[in-house]
Amino acid sequence: MLDLSHYPLDRLASRVGTPFYLHDAGIMRGTVSRFAELVREHGLFGRYAVKANAARPVLELMRAEGLGVDAGSGNEVLRARRAGFPGGSDPAVIMLTTDVFRDNALDVVSRERVLPNVGSPRMIRELRDAGYRGPVGVRINPGFGHGVVEACDTGGPSSKHGIWLDALDGVRRAAADAGLPVAVLHAHVGTGPTLPEFDTNVRKLVDLFVELLPDFPEVGTVNLGGGIPHPYRPQERAYDLASYRPIWDEAVARLSQRAARPIRVEVEPGRYLVAGAGILVTRVKEVKETRTNEKGRGHTFVMVDAGFCDLLRPALYGSYHEIEVVSAGAGGGAASGGAQRPSVSCVVAGPLCESGDVFTRSETELLDPRMMPRPEAGDLLVVQDAGAYGAVMSSNYLSMGRAAEVWWEDGHGRIISRRETLEDLVARECDVAL
Ligand code: LLP
């Protein structure tokens, strides 16, 4: 969670327009360099899951800290290449993990010679048919893997990801037929589980890989996925990497011993590295009330100019993000404002013509009002911990145009992604006969 007194939010808002994202480079670098250093110290290789935040300076920071990349699409691979990550697969700095090869993905794998991490035997045949001749990774569905909500489970019977354990024979046969060595075994334990759940599941994953290794004589790398939790609620504890370290050591020792050769162990978090370094800044446009009647309870609606087109997590998963009020005119070095105002129960809602365009939601409730110093029109509201799965999941629903992104470094802001314009929105329109 960022300390808002460090940023001249009012000034930035009038320069950039609201809503906008702000990413604090110093905070991000602090988290990333600690993680990268520990990973190196334990002889592991760390990848950054680009899907969490694909902004160019974020990728450059990850590269500068010595991390590799897990990309989720052909275009994420190309964005990583533009940020300076090298291609090649020996060993692979960029891995492409996908459930389906779409658009340019197959072409990019062959051309950039990055490591494809596949989720079905058919994908191996697709690679061979596309002329790919290199190692492959195999993503396994370990049968467990719980996330913040069911939609964030990335293992278990309800998860579409990877290859179910019973089907691994088919993958081995497909790889042998295609002449593509299986060099990496991979699984991801679920994104954002509870702290004890995370440790337990990673340990179970290591057990599973220890069991599987003898069936894969060409495997030199085992990837334990990402999933390190981030504390979104003020009372939540941050994950202490100290509890991950013995798991890493154990994984390296047990896997290498079982395989009777050195096994490189990889981890690939996304959220943990970037979530806490980003905020979404939005302007309060109106505060209005509904009254309790026979159909239900009335609410105070704080109408802001950001919606689920900007930050989808609350609408999609009922995710919690802390929201702070910054009073209008708080000036340079704006502090959280409104602290002297009486606290009221508020529903924070956006501009979209959708009743679900609400930031104060829960996993079960459409409206989950929160106590906050009564906001007033003109105030800024800051949605905290929006650095992961924020801007990357934004859309231009209602032709809103995606929000600008600001990179805050050494006390200065830079626009790294400008607000999307009407011209951007219509740039793809065409009239092509078929
Ligand atoms: N590796 C693979 C193959 C993944 O699929 C993911 C996330 C990660 C790594 C990184 O997981 P992390 O460390 O960030 O938990 N949109 C959701 C999160 C979906 C993540 C899907 N895969 C959210 O907003 O919470």
PDB file of all heavy atoms in Angstrom, residues 28 48-51 53-65 67-69 75-85 407:
ATOM      1  N   MET A  28       8.594  -0.539  -6.199  1.00  0.00           N
ATOM      2  CA  MET A  28       8.638  -1.775  -6.993  1.00  0.00           C
ATOM      3  C   MET A  28      10.055  -2.350  -6.994  1.00  0.00           C
ATOM      4  O   MET A  28      10.257  -3.545  -6.778  1.00  0.00           O
ATOM      5  CB  MET A  28       8.194  -1.484  -8.436  1.00  0.00           C
ATOM      6  CG  MET A  28       7.884  -2.719  -9.245  1.00  0.00           C
ATOM      7  SD  MET A  28       7.413  -2.321 -10.948  1.00  0.00           S
ATOM      8  CE  MET A  28       5.861  -1.499 -10.739  1.00  0.00           C
ATOM      9  N   TYR A  48       9.396 -13.185 -14.101  1.00  0.00           N
ATOM     10  CA  TYR A  48       8.292 -12.282 -13.802  1.00  0.00           C
ATOM     11  C   TYR A  48       7.123 -12.641 -14.713  1.00  0.00           C
ATOM     12  O   TYR A  48       7.305 -12.754 -15.939  1.00  0.00           O
ATOM     13  CB  TYR A  48       8.735 -10.829 -14.020  1.00  0.00           C
ATOM     14  CG  TYR A  48       7.582  -9.851 -14.028  1.00  0.00           C
ATOM     15  CD1 TYR A  48       6.754  -9.724 -12.903  1.00  0.00           C
ATOM     16  CD2 TYR A  48       7.294  -9.073 -15.152  1.00  0.00           C
ATOM     17  CE1 TYR A  48       5.685  -8.845 -12.911  1.00  0.00           C
ATOM     18  CE2 TYR A  48       6.237  -8.181 -15.164  1.00  0.00           C
ATOM     19  CZ  TYR A  48       5.434  -8.083 -14.042  1.00  0.00           C
ATOM     20  OH  TYR A  48       4.362  -7.214 -14.045  1.00  0.00           O
ATOM     21  N   ALA A  49       5.939 -12.847 -14.129  1.00  0.00           N
ATOM     22  CA  ALA A  49       4.754 -13.147 -14.932  1.00  0.00           C
ATOM     23  C   ALA A  49       4.210 -11.843 -15.516  1.00  0.00           C
ATOM     24  O   ALA A  49       3.553 -11.063 -14.821  1.00  0.00           O
ATOM     25  CB  ALA A  49       3.699 -13.845 -14.082  1.00  0.00           C
ATOM     26  N   VAL A  50       4.503 -11.626 -16.789  1.00  0.00           N
ATOM     27  CA  VAL A  50       4.212 -10.337 -17.443  1.00  0.00           C
ATOM     28  C   VAL A  50       2.738  -9.957 -17.349  1.00  0.00           C
ATOM     29  O   VAL A  50       2.381  -8.778 -17.322  1.00  0.00           O
ATOM     30  CB  VAL A  50       4.624 -10.400 -18.934  1.00  0.00           C
ATOM     31  CG1 VAL A  50       4.253  -9.126 -19.676  1.00  0.00           C
ATOM     32  CG2 VAL A  50       6.112 -10.663 -19.063  1.00  0.00           C
ATOM     33  N   LYS A  51       1.873 -10.971 -17.281  1.00  0.00           N
ATOM     34  CA  LYS A  51       0.436 -10.675 -17.305  1.00  0.00           C
ATOM     35  C   LYS A  51       0.016  -9.740 -16.168  1.00  0.00           C
ATOM     36  O   LYS A  51      -0.983  -9.050 -16.274  1.00  0.00           O
ATOM     37  CB  LYS A  51      -0.388 -11.965 -17.271  1.00  0.00           C
ATOM     38  CG  LYS A  51      -0.079 -12.877 -16.098  1.00  0.00           C
ATOM     39  CD  LYS A  51      -1.049 -14.050 -16.022  1.00  0.00           C
ATOM     40  CE  LYS A  51      -0.838 -15.092 -17.091  1.00  0.00           C
ATOM     41  NZ  LYS A  51       0.396 -15.909 -16.877  1.00  0.00           N
ATOM     42  N   ASN A  53       1.501  -7.005 -15.061  1.00  0.00           N
ATOM     43  CA  ASN A  53       1.693  -5.596 -15.420  1.00  0.00           C
ATOM     44  C   ASN A  53       2.736  -5.542 -16.537  1.00  0.00           C
ATOM     45  O   ASN A  53       3.903  -5.829 -16.308  1.00  0.00           O
ATOM     46  CB  ASN A  53       2.187  -4.803 -14.204  1.00  0.00           C
ATOM     47  CG  ASN A  53       2.259  -3.311 -14.471  1.00  0.00           C
ATOM     48  OD1 ASN A  53       2.438  -2.877 -15.603  1.00  0.00           O
ATOM     49  ND2 ASN A  53       2.111  -2.528 -13.421  1.00  0.00           N
ATOM     50  N   ALA A  54       2.292  -5.187 -17.736  1.00  0.00           N
ATOM     51  CA  ALA A  54       3.163  -5.308 -18.910  1.00  0.00           C
ATOM     52  C   ALA A  54       3.781  -3.979 -19.330  1.00  0.00           C
ATOM     53  O   ALA A  54       4.349  -3.877 -20.422  1.00  0.00           O
ATOM     54  CB  ALA A  54       2.370  -5.914 -20.072  1.00  0.00           C
ATOM     55  N   ALA A  55       3.704  -2.954 -18.479  1.00  0.00           N
ATOM     56  CA  ALA A  55       4.236  -1.643 -18.873  1.00  0.00           C
ATOM     57  C   ALA A  55       5.741  -1.747 -19.151  1.00  0.00           C
ATOM     58  O   ALA A  55       6.460  -2.459 -18.447  1.00  0.00           O
ATOM     59  CB  ALA A  55       3.965  -0.625 -17.779  1.00  0.00           C
ATOM     60  N   ARG A  56       6.180  -1.003 -20.134  1.00  0.00           N
ATOM     61  CA  ARG A  56       7.578  -1.078 -20.581  1.00  0.00           C
ATOM     62  C   ARG A  56       8.586  -0.870 -19.436  1.00  0.00           C
ATOM     63  O   ARG A  56       9.508  -1.680 -19.259  1.00  0.00           O
ATOM     64  CB  ARG A  56       7.768  -0.057 -21.713  1.00  0.00           C
ATOM     65  CG  ARG A  56       9.182   0.137 -22.195  1.00  0.00           C
ATOM     66  CD  ARG A  56       9.612  -1.003 -23.119  1.00  0.00           C
ATOM     67  NE  ARG A  56      10.926  -0.745 -23.667  1.00  0.00           N
ATOM     68  CZ  ARG A  56      11.180  -0.452 -24.931  1.00  0.00           C
ATOM     69  NH1 ARG A  56      10.201  -0.389 -25.819  1.00  0.00           N
ATOM     70  NH2 ARG A  56      12.402  -0.261 -25.343  1.00  0.00           N
ATOM     71  N   PRO A  57       8.443   0.224 -18.624  1.00  0.00           N
ATOM     72  CA  PRO A  57       9.432   0.412 -17.543  1.00  0.00           C
ATOM     73  C   PRO A  57       9.399  -0.704 -16.507  1.00  0.00           C
ATOM     74  O   PRO A  57      10.409  -0.988 -15.872  1.00  0.00           O
ATOM     75  CB  PRO A  57       9.030   1.742 -16.902  1.00  0.00           C
ATOM     76  CG  PRO A  57       8.049   2.369 -17.807  1.00  0.00           C
ATOM     77  CD  PRO A  57       7.454   1.311 -18.667  1.00  0.00           C
ATOM     78  N   VAL A  58       8.236  -1.333 -16.340  1.00  0.00           N
ATOM     79  CA  VAL A  58       8.150  -2.456 -15.398  1.00  0.00           C
ATOM     80  C   VAL A  58       9.002  -3.605 -15.934  1.00  0.00           C
ATOM     81  O   VAL A  58       9.815  -4.202 -15.210  1.00  0.00           O
ATOM     82  CB  VAL A  58       6.679  -2.922 -15.215  1.00  0.00           C
ATOM     83  CG1 VAL A  58       6.613  -4.194 -14.379  1.00  0.00           C
ATOM     84  CG2 VAL A  58       5.840  -1.817 -14.585  1.00  0.00           C
ATOM     85  N   LEU A  59       8.863  -3.887 -17.227  1.00  0.00           N
ATOM     86  CA  LEU A  59       9.640  -4.983 -17.821  1.00  0.00           C
ATOM     87  C   LEU A  59      11.128  -4.659 -17.775  1.00  0.00           C
ATOM     88  O   LEU A  59      11.964  -5.519 -17.473  1.00  0.00           O
ATOM     89  CB  LEU A  59       9.190  -5.234 -19.264  1.00  0.00           C
ATOM     90  CG  LEU A  59       7.714  -5.652 -19.430  1.00  0.00           C
ATOM     91  CD1 LEU A  59       7.373  -5.909 -20.896  1.00  0.00           C
ATOM     92  CD2 LEU A  59       7.411  -6.892 -18.601  1.00  0.00           C
ATOM     93  N   GLU A  60      11.460  -3.395 -18.034  1.00  0.00           N
ATOM     94  CA  GLU A  60      12.887  -3.016 -18.010  1.00  0.00           C
ATOM     95  C   GLU A  60      13.464  -3.169 -16.604  1.00  0.00           C
ATOM     96  O   GLU A  60      14.604  -3.595 -16.440  1.00  0.00           O
ATOM     97  CB  GLU A  60      13.047  -1.581 -18.524  1.00  0.00           C
ATOM     98  CG  GLU A  60      12.853  -1.531 -20.036  1.00  0.00           C
ATOM     99  CD  GLU A  60      12.803  -0.120 -20.601  1.00  0.00           C
ATOM    100  OE1 GLU A  60      12.735   0.848 -19.809  1.00  0.00           O
ATOM    101  OE2 GLU A  60      12.815   0.010 -21.829  1.00  0.00           O
ATOM    102  N   LEU A  61      12.640  -2.813 -15.619  1.00  0.00           N
ATOM    103  CA  LEU A  61      13.099  -2.950 -14.223  1.00  0.00           C
ATOM    104  C   LEU A  61      13.353  -4.433 -13.903  1.00  0.00           C
ATOM    105  O   LEU A  61      14.355  -4.779 -13.281  1.00  0.00           O
ATOM    106  CB  LEU A  61      12.029  -2.356 -13.315  1.00  0.00           C
ATOM    107  CG  LEU A  61      12.292  -2.248 -11.819  1.00  0.00           C
ATOM    108  CD1 LEU A  61      11.476  -1.079 -11.245  1.00  0.00           C
ATOM    109  CD2 LEU A  61      11.928  -3.500 -11.054  1.00  0.00           C
ATOM    110  N   MET A  62      12.453  -5.300 -14.341  1.00  0.00           N
ATOM    111  CA  MET A  62      12.604  -6.731 -14.059  1.00  0.00           C
ATOM    112  C   MET A  62      13.881  -7.259 -14.719  1.00  0.00           C
ATOM    113  O   MET A  62      14.612  -8.057 -14.147  1.00  0.00           O
ATOM    114  CB  MET A  62      11.400  -7.529 -14.594  1.00  0.00           C
ATOM    115  CG  MET A  62      10.067  -7.112 -14.012  1.00  0.00           C
ATOM    116  SD  MET A  62       9.960  -7.488 -12.244  1.00  0.00           S
ATOM    117  CE  MET A  62       8.441  -6.613 -11.806  1.00  0.00           C
ATOM    118  N   ARG A  63      14.124  -6.795 -15.940  1.00  0.00           N
ATOM    119  CA  ARG A  63      15.329  -7.244 -16.662  1.00  0.00           C
ATOM    120  C   ARG A  63      16.585  -6.750 -15.942  1.00  0.00           C
ATOM    121  O   ARG A  63      17.538  -7.506 -15.724  1.00  0.00           O
ATOM    122  CB  ARG A  63      15.308  -6.714 -18.100  1.00  0.00           C
ATOM    123  CG  ARG A  63      16.490  -7.186 -18.934  1.00  0.00           C
ATOM    124  CD  ARG A  63      16.344  -6.784 -20.377  1.00  0.00           C
ATOM    125  NE  ARG A  63      16.244  -5.340 -20.539  1.00  0.00           N
ATOM    126  CZ  ARG A  63      17.267  -4.507 -20.611  1.00  0.00           C
ATOM    127  NH1 ARG A  63      18.504  -4.968 -20.535  1.00  0.00           N
ATOM    128  NH2 ARG A  63      17.081  -3.215 -20.745  1.00  0.00           N
ATOM    129  N   ALA A  64      16.554  -5.474 -15.519  1.00  0.00           N
ATOM    130  CA  ALA A  64      17.716  -4.910 -14.827  1.00  0.00           C
ATOM    131  C   ALA A  64      18.007  -5.675 -13.533  1.00  0.00           C
ATOM    132  O   ALA A  64      19.146  -5.760 -13.090  1.00  0.00           O
ATOM    133  CB  ALA A  64      17.468  -3.431 -14.516  1.00  0.00           C
ATOM    134  N   GLU A  65      16.954  -6.228 -12.929  1.00  0.00           N
ATOM    135  CA  GLU A  65      17.151  -6.978 -11.673  1.00  0.00           C
ATOM    136  C   GLU A  65      17.496  -8.444 -11.935  1.00  0.00           C
ATOM    137  O   GLU A  65      17.572  -9.245 -11.011  1.00  0.00           O
ATOM    138  CB  GLU A  65      15.899  -6.877 -10.793  1.00  0.00           C
ATOM    139  CG  GLU A  65      15.606  -5.463 -10.296  1.00  0.00           C
ATOM    140  CD  GLU A  65      16.685  -4.918  -9.356  1.00  0.00           C
ATOM    141  OE1 GLU A  65      17.375  -5.724  -8.716  1.00  0.00           O
ATOM    142  OE2 GLU A  65      16.841  -3.678  -9.298  1.00  0.00           O
ATOM    143  N   LEU A  67      15.779 -10.825 -13.623  1.00  0.00           N
ATOM    144  CA  LEU A  67      14.722 -11.832 -13.738  1.00  0.00           C
ATOM    145  C   LEU A  67      14.491 -12.198 -15.198  1.00  0.00           C
ATOM    146  O   LEU A  67      14.770 -11.412 -16.108  1.00  0.00           O
ATOM    147  CB  LEU A  67      13.410 -11.310 -13.146  1.00  0.00           C
ATOM    148  CG  LEU A  67      13.405 -10.997 -11.647  1.00  0.00           C
ATOM    149  CD1 LEU A  67      12.010 -10.583 -11.197  1.00  0.00           C
ATOM    150  CD2 LEU A  67      13.887 -12.197 -10.835  1.00  0.00           C
ATOM    151  N   GLY A  68      13.956 -13.394 -15.425  1.00  0.00           N
ATOM    152  CA  GLY A  68      13.472 -13.781 -16.742  1.00  0.00           C
ATOM    153  C   GLY A  68      11.988 -13.478 -16.819  1.00  0.00           C
ATOM    154  O   GLY A  68      11.451 -12.743 -15.980  1.00  0.00           O
ATOM    155  N   VAL A  69      11.332 -14.059 -17.814  1.00  0.00           N
ATOM    156  CA  VAL A  69       9.946 -13.694 -18.079  1.00  0.00           C
ATOM    157  C   VAL A  69       9.091 -14.928 -18.316  1.00  0.00           C
ATOM    158  O   VAL A  69       9.526 -15.878 -18.975  1.00  0.00           O
ATOM    159  CB  VAL A  69       9.925 -12.787 -19.345  1.00  0.00           C
ATOM    160  CG1 VAL A  69       8.664 -12.960 -20.154  1.00  0.00           C
ATOM    161  CG2 VAL A  69      10.110 -11.336 -18.949  1.00  0.00           C
ATOM    162  N   ASN A  75       2.207 -11.695 -28.099  1.00  0.00           N
ATOM    163  CA  ASN A  75       2.507 -10.266 -27.954  1.00  0.00           C
ATOM    164  C   ASN A  75       3.229  -9.956 -26.646  1.00  0.00           C
ATOM    165  O   ASN A  75       4.062  -9.044 -26.602  1.00  0.00           O
ATOM    166  CB  ASN A  75       1.226  -9.429 -28.063  1.00  0.00           C
ATOM    167  CG  ASN A  75       0.793  -9.268 -29.516  1.00  0.00           C
ATOM    168  OD1 ASN A  75       1.597  -9.482 -30.432  1.00  0.00           O
ATOM    169  ND2 ASN A  75      -0.459  -8.926 -29.726  1.00  0.00           N
ATOM    170  N   GLU A  76       2.949 -10.704 -25.602  1.00  0.00           N
ATOM    171  CA  GLU A  76       3.725 -10.482 -24.357  1.00  0.00           C
ATOM    172  C   GLU A  76       5.191 -10.871 -24.590  1.00  0.00           C
ATOM    173  O   GLU A  76       6.094 -10.217 -24.064  1.00  0.00           O
ATOM    174  CB  GLU A  76       3.131 -11.264 -23.179  1.00  0.00           C
ATOM    175  CG  GLU A  76       1.963 -10.557 -22.521  1.00  0.00           C
ATOM    176  CD  GLU A  76       1.566 -11.129 -21.156  1.00  0.00           C
ATOM    177  OE1 GLU A  76       2.129 -12.166 -20.729  1.00  0.00           O
ATOM    178  OE2 GLU A  76       0.681 -10.538 -20.524  1.00  0.00           O
ATOM    179  N   VAL A  77       5.418 -11.911 -25.381  1.00  0.00           N
ATOM    180  CA  VAL A  77       6.809 -12.257 -25.715  1.00  0.00           C
ATOM    181  C   VAL A  77       7.452 -11.077 -26.446  1.00  0.00           C
ATOM    182  O   VAL A  77       8.571 -10.648 -26.107  1.00  0.00           O
ATOM    183  CB  VAL A  77       6.880 -13.505 -26.622  1.00  0.00           C
ATOM    184  CG1 VAL A  77       8.298 -13.706 -27.161  1.00  0.00           C
ATOM    185  CG2 VAL A  77       6.396 -14.746 -25.881  1.00  0.00           C
ATOM    186  N   LEU A  78       6.738 -10.517 -27.408  1.00  0.00           N
ATOM    187  CA  LEU A  78       7.328  -9.430 -28.200  1.00  0.00           C
ATOM    188  C   LEU A  78       7.541  -8.176 -27.346  1.00  0.00           C
ATOM    189  O   LEU A  78       8.517  -7.451 -27.541  1.00  0.00           O
ATOM    190  CB  LEU A  78       6.448  -9.126 -29.418  1.00  0.00           C
ATOM    191  CG  LEU A  78       6.356 -10.291 -30.424  1.00  0.00           C
ATOM    192  CD1 LEU A  78       5.435  -9.941 -31.593  1.00  0.00           C
ATOM    193  CD2 LEU A  78       7.747 -10.678 -30.963  1.00  0.00           C
ATOM    194  N   ARG A  79       6.657  -7.953 -26.388  1.00  0.00           N
ATOM    195  CA  ARG A  79       6.859  -6.803 -25.486  1.00  0.00           C
ATOM    196  C   ARG A  79       8.099  -7.028 -24.626  1.00  0.00           C
ATOM    197  O   ARG A  79       8.866  -6.104 -24.371  1.00  0.00           O
ATOM    198  CB  ARG A  79       5.623  -6.568 -24.614  1.00  0.00           C
ATOM    199  CG  ARG A  79       4.451  -6.045 -25.428  1.00  0.00           C
ATOM    200  CD  ARG A  79       3.227  -5.812 -24.583  1.00  0.00           C
ATOM    201  NE  ARG A  79       3.268  -4.507 -23.928  1.00  0.00           N
ATOM    202  CZ  ARG A  79       2.200  -3.917 -23.393  1.00  0.00           C
ATOM    203  NH1 ARG A  79       1.030  -4.515 -23.425  1.00  0.00           N
ATOM    204  NH2 ARG A  79       2.307  -2.737 -22.812  1.00  0.00           N
ATOM    205  N   ALA A  80       8.298  -8.269 -24.204  1.00  0.00           N
ATOM    206  CA  ALA A  80       9.501  -8.575 -23.417  1.00  0.00           C
ATOM    207  C   ALA A  80      10.753  -8.382 -24.283  1.00  0.00           C
ATOM    208  O   ALA A  80      11.764  -7.834 -23.820  1.00  0.00           O
ATOM    209  CB  ALA A  80       9.428 -10.000 -22.881  1.00  0.00           C
ATOM    210  N   ARG A  81      10.669  -8.792 -25.545  1.00  0.00           N
ATOM    211  CA  ARG A  81      11.819  -8.621 -26.448  1.00  0.00           C
ATOM    212  C   ARG A  81      12.132  -7.132 -26.617  1.00  0.00           C
ATOM    213  O   ARG A  81      13.287  -6.725 -26.605  1.00  0.00           O
ATOM    214  CB  ARG A  81      11.533  -9.264 -27.809  1.00  0.00           C
ATOM    215  CG  ARG A  81      11.396 -10.769 -27.767  1.00  0.00           C
ATOM    216  CD  ARG A  81      12.733 -11.494 -27.623  1.00  0.00           C
ATOM    217  NE  ARG A  81      13.501 -11.442 -28.857  1.00  0.00           N
ATOM    218  CZ  ARG A  81      14.706 -10.896 -28.993  1.00  0.00           C
ATOM    219  NH1 ARG A  81      15.300 -10.347 -27.950  1.00  0.00           N
ATOM    220  NH2 ARG A  81      15.331 -10.917 -30.151  1.00  0.00           N
ATOM    221  N   ARG A  82      11.067  -6.313 -26.782  1.00  0.00           N
ATOM    222  CA  ARG A  82      11.277  -4.866 -26.939  1.00  0.00           C
ATOM    223  C   ARG A  82      11.893  -4.256 -25.692  1.00  0.00           C
ATOM    224  O   ARG A  82      12.590  -3.242 -25.754  1.00  0.00           O
ATOM    225  CB  ARG A  82       9.942  -4.158 -27.223  1.00  0.00           C
ATOM    226  CG  ARG A  82       9.420  -4.443 -28.625  1.00  0.00           C
ATOM    227  CD  ARG A  82       7.955  -4.120 -28.715  1.00  0.00           C
ATOM    228  NE  ARG A  82       7.749  -2.692 -28.856  1.00  0.00           N
ATOM    229  CZ  ARG A  82       7.167  -2.121 -29.900  1.00  0.00           C
ATOM    230  NH1 ARG A  82       6.722  -2.865 -30.894  1.00  0.00           N
ATOM    231  NH2 ARG A  82       7.009  -0.826 -29.959  1.00  0.00           N
ATOM    232  N   ALA A  83      11.608  -4.852 -24.534  1.00  0.00           N
ATOM    233  CA  ALA A  83      12.181  -4.330 -23.286  1.00  0.00           C
ATOM    234  C   ALA A  83      13.588  -4.883 -23.058  1.00  0.00           C
ATOM    235  O   ALA A  83      14.183  -4.642 -22.011  1.00  0.00           O
ATOM    236  CB  ALA A  83      11.273  -4.681 -22.110  1.00  0.00           C
ATOM    237  N   GLY A  84      14.099  -5.646 -24.025  1.00  0.00           N
ATOM    238  CA  GLY A  84      15.496  -6.068 -23.972  1.00  0.00           C
ATOM    239  C   GLY A  84      15.751  -7.487 -23.502  1.00  0.00           C
ATOM    240  O   GLY A  84      16.905  -7.906 -23.404  1.00  0.00           O
ATOM    241  N   PHE A  85      14.707  -8.261 -23.197  1.00  0.00           N
ATOM    242  CA  PHE A  85      14.938  -9.656 -22.812  1.00  0.00           C
ATOM    243  C   PHE A  85      15.366 -10.439 -24.049  1.00  0.00           C
ATOM    244  O   PHE A  85      14.759 -10.301 -25.112  1.00  0.00           O
ATOM    245  CB  PHE A  85      13.659 -10.287 -22.233  1.00  0.00           C
ATOM    246  CG  PHE A  85      13.302  -9.796 -20.870  1.00  0.00           C
ATOM    247  CD1 PHE A  85      12.404  -8.751 -20.706  1.00  0.00           C
ATOM    248  CD2 PHE A  85      13.870 -10.374 -19.742  1.00  0.00           C
ATOM    249  CE1 PHE A  85      12.071  -8.285 -19.448  1.00  0.00           C
ATOM    250  CE2 PHE A  85      13.543  -9.912 -18.462  1.00  0.00           C
ATOM    251  CZ  PHE A  85      12.638  -8.872 -18.321  1.00  0.00           C
ATOM    252  N   TRP A 407       4.604   6.862 -14.294  1.00  0.00           N
ATOM    253  CA  TRP A 407       5.743   6.195 -13.653  1.00  0.00           C
ATOM    254  C   TRP A 407       6.370   7.198 -12.717  1.00  0.00           C
ATOM    255  O   TRP A 407       6.773   8.288 -13.155  1.00  0.00           O
ATOM    256  CB  TRP A 407       6.736   5.776 -14.745  1.00  0.00           C
ATOM    257  CG  TRP A 407       7.884   4.931 -14.316  1.00  0.00           C
ATOM    258  CD1 TRP A 407       9.195   5.287 -14.326  1.00  0.00           C
ATOM    259  CD2 TRP A 407       7.843   3.559 -13.902  1.00  0.00           C
ATOM    260  NE1 TRP A 407       9.981   4.231 -13.927  1.00  0.00           N
ATOM    261  CE2 TRP A 407       9.177   3.160 -13.654  1.00  0.00           C
ATOM    262  CE3 TRP A 407       6.820   2.641 -13.698  1.00  0.00           C
ATOM    263  CZ2 TRP A 407       9.505   1.876 -13.220  1.00  0.00           C
ATOM    264  CZ3 TRP A 407       7.147   1.365 -13.267  1.00  0.00           C
ATOM    265  CH2 TRP A 407       8.475   0.989 -13.033  1.00  0.00           C
TER     266      TRP A 407
END
